[in-house]
Every structure is written in C-alpha cells, then in structure tokens.
Amino acid sequence: MSTSESAPWLVVGLGNPGPEYAMNRHNVGFMVVDLLAERIGGKFKRASKAQAQVLEGRIGPMGPANRRVILAKPMSFMNLSGGPVNALRDFYKVPVDHIVAVHDELDIDYATLRLKLGGGDNGHNGLKSMTKAMGADYHRVRCGIGRPPGRMQVADFVLKDFASAERKELDWFVDRAADAVESLVTEGLERAQSAYNS
C-alpha cells in the first residue's frame, strides 16, 4: 500500500459557526459532516492545533476499502476557512488530494450534487480561502442551492435559512451528500461521480 493510499482523509464541511447560522444555505457543508459524525457514532471536539472542531473515525466496509477520516468544521468564519484547514492538514499529514471540501454551490440547482477534483472557487469565499492556503488540488462535493430569486443579493441569499419548500427535501439531500462523501473516500472519484453527479 502506498503512502498516499494509507494516508487519512480530511473531510471539511464549510459553514459559519454559531446557532444563528445553523440552518443557513451557506451551512449545508456543516450539515453533511454532522450527519457523517452521527453515522460514525462520535462527537466533535475542539482541535488543539487548529481553530476547528474535529472527529476522527473510519468510513467504509471492513477490509481494504475502510478509510481513516478526520471530519472537520472550521470555527473561523467562512472566508477564513483556509487557515484552520491547512493547520489540520499539517497536523494529520494529509495529502492535498485526500482533502474533501463539502460546500454550497450557487450555480447548481437545489438538491443537486456534483463531485470534482480541483478547479476554481466560483466566488465561494470558503474555497477561495482554502485554495489560497494550499492550492486548488483538493476534492469538492458541491451541494447545489440554486440562484437567489429576483434581485436578492447573493450574500443575503446564502445567509438565509432554507425555505420551507426546500426543507421538505433537505434531509434527503444531506443524506445523499453524506453518501457521496463516503463513496468518494472509499471507492474513488470516478465511481462517486458516476453514482452521484446529476
């Protein structure tokens, strides 16, 4: 097994800390890693080396596909996510291609997923900060939230809670995104894309 194969994965949910942001569209990344934490059966704790909450565990079936993961929620605000993620990367010795950012994406319809490796930040401040800190060659699980209606500003839209019509599908959407992360980590990008990209 190569070093890269045996290296842990760092799965980062992007969001803003604090109860007032918990159900915002911008916090769907936090929702997904919270569900993954529930599946692993652990609780987040404050990281000693970074401004983040972390949970270490394993994902996938027993055997060669079983992977060590560190789930993380940066406790800086969204536009400063890169610092905490980079500190965790250094501490846990995670290669950049073993980092997965789970984040909201305006240019994809609501409840639609797209997985990819590398690329631009598309104006997303969390990705911008991560890319500035360590380059762009990390994986992304892009959770579609759609565009703001009418003339609503993007900043207002992402910092609003999901609408009641959206909330009907939210549990299913978050569950599917968590499945996509597990597939990416245990089976690789191509398989995860063919199963979850829509």
Side-chain angles (χ1 to χ4, degrees):
M1 188 184 282
S2 74
T3 314
S4 179
E5 281 175 359
S6 60
W9 284 78
L10 175 59
V11 177
V12 181
L14 293 180
N16 286 310
E20 67 273 34
Y21 298 105
M23 291 307 292
N24 286 182
R25 293 182 178 93
H26 223 15
N27 271 42
V28 71
F30 274 17
M31 297 173 198
V32 174
V33 294
D34 281 339
L35 179 57
L36 287 166
E38 220 175 277
R39 289 179 181 184
I40 287 172
K43 289 208 177 343
F44 282 97
K45 63 182 194 301
R46 199 83 189 185
S48 56
K49 302 289 178 194
Q51 194 183 354
Q53 289 188 347
V54 293
L55 167 63
E56 292 182 63
R58 299 194 80 84
I59 280 178
M62 290 317 290
N66 189 258
R67 299 282 182 259
R68 180 178 164 223
V69 293
I70 297 101
L71 302 178
K73 296 191 288 186
M75 291 287 112
S76 58
F77 280 86
M78 177 73 87
N79 59 348
L80 300 171
S81 302
V85 176
N86 209 26
L88 292 171
R89 175 181 79 105
D90 286 347
F91 180 70
Y92 289 105
K93 299 182 172 45
V94 180
V96 175
D97 68 353
H98 274 222
I99 295 173
V100 182
V102 186
H103 63 92
D104 57 306
E105 179 64 66
L106 286 159
D107 285 336
I108 300 175
D109 290 341
Y110 176 64
T112 298
L113 293 173
R114 299 264 166 78
L115 285 72
K116 70 174 189 172
L117 174 63
D121 57 57
N122 210 15
H124 191 290
N125 289 330
L127 297 181
K128 199 175 286 182
S129 178
M130 282 181 63
T131 297
K132 187 176 175 193
M134 61 196 179
D137 295 332
Y138 53 90
H139 289 87
R140 298 102 192 275
V141 174
R142 305 157 73 206
C143 303
I145 60 168
R147 301 291 306 181
R151 295 184 173 189
M152 187 189 285
Q153 293 296 311
V154 164
D156 295 334
F157 179 69
V158 299
L159 293 175
K160 277 200 169 18
D161 287 0
F162 284 101
S164 55
E166 292 171 328
R167 280 201 293 272
K168 291 180 181 138
E169 270 190 281
L170 187 59
D171 285 348
W172 172 85
F173 181 29
V174 169
D175 194 61
R176 188 168 160 79
D179 289 347
V181 171
E182 290 189 356
S183 173
L184 170 60
V185 168
T186 59
E187 300 179 298
L189 179 62
E190 282 183 26
R191 279 199 172 183
Q193 283 175 326
S194 65
Y196 293 97
N197 275 13
S198 41

